Amino acid sequence: MTQEDLLVLIYKKDERAFTHLYDMYSKSLFAVINVLVKNTEEAEDVLQDVFVKIWKNIDSYNESKGRFYTWILNIARNTSIDKLRSKNFNNSQKNLSSDNFVNLLEDSTKAANKVDTIGIQEFVKRLKPKCIQIIDLLFFKGYTQQEAAEELAIPLGTVKTHNRNCINDLRTYLKV
């Protein structure tokens, strides 16, 4: 099934489309979510929420504004960030058992491998060091632009400009 066929079925709310949608995109979306959330069970919950949002909000997808995959990837990223900022998630993280500390340490060493599996890491490595730092904070760690500005001790406008320029550089690498 092509992406265009899938979109037609989703717009029609055909139940078969949901299965195809999940089969086509669940692994890559889960990888992105899990890098941000760093908890497999929570990432699975977020993944479920993402697919429900895609299904319910398909009418807001505009093909002229970007690719379908980019749209669903943004939904996954934003839902993950919302989860990280939620009060319940933050409270659950305060009460970790000692077993979880071992998992956290192991997960942090595997994060680069998880990012690499979605294919972006090699392209990001080609960017200037300031771009690597900004993209890491904004996209892989889920910082807001304001939080990144504070972390890097630079003005918000500078972060926004660097982000735009770095994304354009990344687009150039991806076109090659």
Side-chain angles (χ1 to χ4, degrees), residues 97-154:
S97 70
S98 60
D99 293 338
N100 286 333
F101 286 108
V102 173
N103 292 336
L104 286 173
L105 291 173
E106 288 174 358
D107 285 348
S108 68
T109 61
K110 294 178 186 175
N113 293 336
K114 290 177 185 173
V115 173
D116 194 34
T117 61
I118 63 170
I120 298 295
Q121 187 65 29
E122 289 304 312
F123 293 104
V124 172
K125 286 179 183 176
R126 296 180 189 174
L127 297 172
K128 299 171 192 163
K130 70 178 178 185
C131 287
I132 294 171
Q133 193 175 30
I134 287 175
I135 287 175
D136 181 56
L137 290 175
L138 295 177
F139 295 96
F140 297 127
K141 292 184 178 169
Y143 282 46
T144 64
Q145 290 181 337
Q146 181 64 46
E147 291 168 338
E150 291 168 7
E151 176 75 19
L152 300 172
I154 59 177

Side-chain angles (χ1 to χ4, degrees), residues 18-151:
F18 194 86
T19 303
H20 288 294
L21 176 70
Y22 187 86
D23 290 343
M24 289 175 74
Y25 298 107
S26 63
K27 288 181 183 177
S28 59
L29 292 179
F30 181 77
V32 171
I33 293 166
N34 202 28
V35 165
L36 291 169
V37 176
K38 298 179 178 85
N39 177 313
T40 303
E41 288 178 16
E42 295 288 344
E44 289 169 351
D45 288 344
V46 171
L47 182 66
Q48 183 177 357
D49 292 343
V50 167
F51 278 101
V52 170
K53 285 181 180 182
I54 293 167
W55 190 257
K56 287 183 175 179
N57 298 311
I58 191 64
D59 292 331
S60 69
Y61 169 64
N62 184 344
E63 192 173 319
S64 67
K65 291 185 178 180
R67 294 178 176 180
F68 179 69
Y69 182 73
T70 305
W71 183 72
I72 65 173
L73 192 61
N74 282 330
I75 291 173
R77 183 179 165 275
N78 292 340
T79 305
S80 299
I81 291 169
D82 290 346
K83 182 69 168 182
L84 290 171
R85 292 182 179 158
S86 74
K87 186 176 182 179
N88 289 339
F89 183 80
N90 287 325
N91 287 339
S92 72
Q93 297 303 301
K94 291 177 183 175
N95 299 319
L96 294 175
S97 70
S98 60
D99 293 338
N100 286 333
F101 286 108
V102 173
N103 292 336
L104 286 173
L105 291 173
E106 288 174 358
D107 285 348
S108 68
T109 61
K110 294 178 186 175
N113 293 336
K114 290 177 185 173
V115 173
D116 194 34
T117 61
I118 63 170
I120 298 295
Q121 187 65 29
E122 289 304 312
F123 293 104
V124 172
K125 286 179 183 176
R126 296 180 189 174
L127 297 172
K128 299 171 192 163
K130 70 178 178 185
C131 287
I132 294 171
Q133 193 175 30
I134 287 175
I135 287 175
D136 181 56
L137 290 175
L138 295 177
F139 295 96
F140 297 127
K141 292 184 178 169
Y143 282 46
T144 64
Q145 290 181 337
Q146 181 64 46
E147 291 168 338
E150 291 168 7
E151 176 75 19

